[in-house]
Amino acid sequence: LTYNGKNFTSYSKPQQLRNDLLNTIFVDKQKNIWYASDYVNDSDFTTGGVWKSDGKSFVEFTKKDGLNNTSPFLVMEDSVGNIWFGTRNTGLYKYDGKTFTNFSE
């Protein structure tokens, strides 16, 4: 739910996303909505990572996409449209729209 000073807008969320693990929601310049969630693996459910929504459908990004750390805490966009993810244990990832690049200490 967001408020622009006049109206409230509600958004759907990925079905796999647990509210208690949601770290951040970010809207980029293209109006895509990014959801970042902490990772948990219990006997009933495994979740965590990043989802992107264009308002119609969700795309989940996982290790197969190059996002090896599934506990993102921060999502930001730079001036040229790259999406940056700050993750648990000092992981930093850049997504250029096609691939993830990992930066570490």
Side-chain angles (χ1 to χ4, degrees), residues 54-70:
D54 61 4
K56 298 175 187 155
S57 62
F58 292 97
V59 174
E60 181 179 9
F61 295 97
T62 65
K63 289 182 180 183
K64 69 176 176 51
D65 301 301
L67 183 64
N68 292 323
N69 187 316
T70 54

Side-chain angles (χ1 to χ4, degrees), residues 3 5 7 24 48 51 53 56 61 69 71 84 87-88 96 101:
Y3 181 67
N7 302 305
T24 191
W51 291 266
S53 173
K56 298 175 187 155
F61 295 97
N69 187 316
S71 291
W84 292 83
T87 64
R88 183 183 301 276
D96 65 7
T101 303

Side-chain angles (χ1 to χ4, degrees), residues 38-93:
D38 207 2
Y39 177 81
V40 68
N41 186 0
D42 60 34
S43 60
D44 297 326
F45 204 66
T46 301
T47 189
V50 171
W51 291 266
K52 179 179 89 168
S53 173
D54 61 4
K56 298 175 187 155
S57 62
F58 292 97
V59 174
E60 181 179 9
F61 295 97
T62 65
K63 289 182 180 183
K64 69 176 176 51
D65 301 301
L67 183 64
N68 292 323
N69 187 316
T70 54
S71 291
F73 284 88
L74 175 69
V75 181
M76 297 180 73
E77 184 175 16
D78 65 22
S79 62
V80 295
N82 295 309
I83 306 295
W84 292 83
F85 302 93
T87 64
R88 183 183 301 276
N89 298 325
T90 69
L92 179 65
Y93 289 84

